[in-house]
Amino acid sequence: MINYKELAQKYSTPLYVYDFDYMSAQYEKLKEAFRARKSIMAFAVKSNSNLSVVKHFADLGSGADCVSIGEVRRAFLAGIPKYKIIFSGVGKSDDELREAIEKDILYINLESYAELERVEAIAKELNIAARISVRVNPNIDPKTHPYISTGLHGNKFGVDINTAKRMYIKAKNSENLDPIGIHFHIGSQLTELDPIVEASEIVADLVRSLQTLEIEIKFFDIGGGLGITYNDEVTIEPYEYAQAILSTLTALDITVICEPGRFLTANAGYFITKVLYEKENNEKRFVIVDGAMNDLLRPSLYDAYHKISVVDKESSDVTKADIVGPVCESGDFFAKDYLLPKMEHNDLLVVESAGAYGFTMASNYNTRGRSAEVALVGGEDRLIRRRESFEDLIANELDLMEK
Ligand code: LLP
């Protein structure tokens, strides 16, 4: 049992706490599910990019899926071997591409024909053959929230099959490109297996047709997306997920790369926030807490549900309340019409499943410093990011009047 009260006293609130042992268990479960094949679990750094978290996955043998050169640098700093680092994303700058090529990472995931031409030009300047993969958009509806659905032609991600083919042919004929991978990722928080299998079949067929053109793909990158239970969602079992993917790869000698984020980190994380006060506007009850949308954006942005528990307070006498933060936006809430007992000043609430896309999506809106982050490892708590101070917030601002 996590002692939230003690943690809140020691580190103050709002506070992110991550159970590193839970992350390890999730990692091992997924890795084990793919044991029938060569595989790399490339942790999606965007889900939780604290260096200590990335380092934890590095120690477990994980690779890294990165979407900016900043994330690539984090992966290196954390000790992830370069041959397990992937760089994806729809818009990479020349500087980012150059650095990724120079750093000799496993491959760059290309998301457009234009990007392929940029990579070729930069690799030519460097007199190198850049390893690449192409992100295929298989036009499959993943049946998740539209903001985190990525595998439909209406989404900005990847390229259609025909463009992908053209890109591979161009790469094969270029001295400065080495096509070694293929990638798809149809969305996040997926709870249905069928769309994933359908996408995998389409992409595996493309690998087979590339073989007939003597283009040998070595890495089959299935993206991330495995859903987790926030409320009562029935999720896909890692073993079934792996079996279903592997069944589409018959007769292919290929290494599977998986890019899990949420599955590894979401349910390892807890966001502790303190009650400031209660108020009622006519009949409507509000519980106002010290955490806000700038700390944890998911409810405001996606209307996402997070379970919220009350620390050390038993009561059967509950009524509905909106749990809201101090930020000046009506969209600043963690939950609406949530059943809660009467709350007092300094009572603690814990927002669960906050380990993925929690801190990483935090901002300084309203000049609020971002919260501290704490790791729980084998029952011990360790500060892994200190709370931002006001001085941190203004550190990069320059005085217009100063000469
Ligand atoms: N690979 C690619 C190419 C991705 O775009 C993503 C997530 C992942 C892997 C990791 O997906 P995961 O295993 O975590 O589902 N902020 C949103 C989620 C955005 C996901 C973006 N891409 C949220 O809070 O739900």
Side-chain angles (χ1 to χ4, degrees):
M1 270 303 286
I2 302 174
N3 192 334
Y4 299 110
K5 213 172 193 167
E6 207 175 280
L7 291 167
Q9 267 159 11
K10 186 163 170 187
Y11 300 103
S12 186
T13 56
L15 181 71
Y16 274 99
V17 176
Y18 310 124
D19 180 347
F20 276 37
D21 301 329
Y22 180 88
M23 291 184 197
S24 310
Q26 291 292 95
Y27 177 87
E28 297 300 349
K29 213 183 279 175
L30 198 54
K31 177 73 188 163
E32 176 68 11
F34 282 96
R35 75 165 184 275
R37 283 259 178 175
K38 276 180 282 176
S39 71
I40 297 175
M41 298 296 121
F43 170 53
V45 174
K46 64 173 92 66
S47 76
N48 189 322
S49 45
N50 185 293
L51 269 178
S52 298
V53 171
V54 186
K55 186 160 188 321
H56 184 65
F57 286 112
D59 292 344
L60 293 169
S62 179
D65 165 47
C66 305
V67 288
S68 68
I69 205 67
E71 288 191 355
V72 171
R73 290 182 188 177
R74 276 184 189 274
F76 269 87
L77 261 181
I80 296 201
K82 62 181 183 179
Y83 58 88
K84 288 188 185 174
I85 297 176
I86 300 158
F87 184 18
S88 308
V90 274
K92 310 181 193 78
S93 71
D94 282 7
D95 286 346
E96 288 185 301
L97 290 171
R98 188 171 296 108
E99 187 173 328
I101 295 169
E102 282 173 343
K103 280 193 152 76
D104 196 29
I105 61 171
L106 180 58
Y107 56 74
I108 296 173
N109 244 326
L110 303 176
E111 302 220 19
S112 60
Y113 199 94
E115 188 186 5
L116 174 126
E117 291 177 327
R118 286 311 310 145
V119 170
E120 186 185 29
I122 294 166
K124 194 167 183 183
E125 279 166 29
L126 297 170
N127 197 20
I128 231 171
R131 286 184 297 274
I132 57 118
S133 129
V134 175
R135 176 165 178 176
V136 179
N137 181 329
N139 199 26
I140 299 283
D141 183 354
K143 309 208 170 71
T144 184
H145 190 287
Y147 281 16
I148 50 177
S149 147
T150 50
L152 282 162
H153 283 167
N155 304 127
K156 67 178 175 177
F157 298 96
V159 296
D160 59 73
I161 301 273
N162 287 333
T163 309
K165 247 189 192 159
R166 279 201 299 131
M167 288 167 73
Y168 280 111
I169 292 167
K170 163 94 176 155
K172 178 184 169 14
N173 295 324
S174 165
E175 281 182 5
N176 299 106
L177 296 171
D178 181 10
I180 63 163
I182 197 157
H183 172 51
F184 67 96
H185 169 87
I186 59 172
S188 196
Q189 182 54 14
L190 307 179
T191 50
E192 289 188 35
L193 196 48
D194 288 353
I196 306 175
V197 178
E198 218 178 311
S200 189
E201 266 159 4
I202 292 172
V203 178
D205 282 346
L206 177 56
V207 172
R208 289 186 193 98
S209 77
L210 291 174
Q211 275 181 337
T212 64
L213 301 170
E214 287 174 8
I215 299 167
E216 282 301 327
I217 301 297
K218 300 188 186 75
F219 297 96
F220 193 81
D221 180 345
I222 62 174
L226 258 195
I228 59 119
T229 302
Y230 283 97
N231 186 13
D232 51 11
E233 300 90 334
V234 177
T235 56
I236 304 165
E237 278 304 312
Y239 181 75
E240 282 169 37
Y241 173 63
Q243 287 305 308
I245 298 264
L246 297 183
S247 72
T248 66
L249 300 180
T250 36
L252 289 176
D253 179 19
I254 208 162
T255 298
V256 175
I257 297 193
C258 184
E259 303 173 347
R262 192 187 317 263
F263 179 80
L264 301 180
T265 53
N267 278 334
Y270 302 85
F271 179 71
I272 310 177
T273 182
K274 196 156 66 184
V275 173
L276 298 174
Y277 6 78
E278 280 216 20
K279 76 174 193 179
E280 252 169 59
N281 282 351
N282 290 324
E283 295 293 277
K284 182 90 188 166
R285 179 182 168 209
F286 293 95
V287 170
I288 302 158
V289 296
D290 64 355
M293 65 188 288
N294 76 294
D295 300 300
L296 176 64
L297 185 62
R298 302 194 73 257
S300 309
L301 190 59
Y302 314 116
D303 214 7
Y305 177 91
H306 284 258
K307 256 187 205 147
I308 298 179
S309 50
V310 185
V311 177
D312 289 348
K313 199 167 200 169
E314 294 295 323
S315 172
S316 49
D317 190 11
V318 290
T319 59
K320 283 183 183 169
D322 285 8
I323 304 170
V324 301
V327 160
C328 298
E329 299 274 347
S330 298
D332 178 25
F333 64 89
F334 291 133
K336 294 211 157 153
D337 290 331
Y338 210 84
L339 287 172
L340 286 179
K342 172 100 188 75
M343 303 299 293
E344 323 280 340
H345 184 64
N346 287 344
D347 278 349
L348 294 175
L349 290 176
V350 178
V351 184
E352 298 181 11
S353 313
Y357 308 106
F359 188 92
T360 52
M361 290 172 72
S363 77
N364 295 123
Y365 187 39
N366 283 196
T367 305
R368 288 169 53 87
R370 283 176 297 173
S371 26
E373 293 174 289
V374 166
L376 299 178
V377 194
E380 302 274 307
D381 52 277
R382 289 266 300 277
L383 185 66
I384 54 171
R385 191 183 210 275
R386 62 177 175 75
R387 186 174 301 285
E388 277 177 342
S389 66
F390 175 68
E391 287 67 32
D392 291 332
L393 264 55
I394 59 164
N396 287 332
E397 295 178 34
L398 305 173
D399 190 337
L400 183 64
M401 297 306 169
E402 227 167 65
K403 289 273 182 305

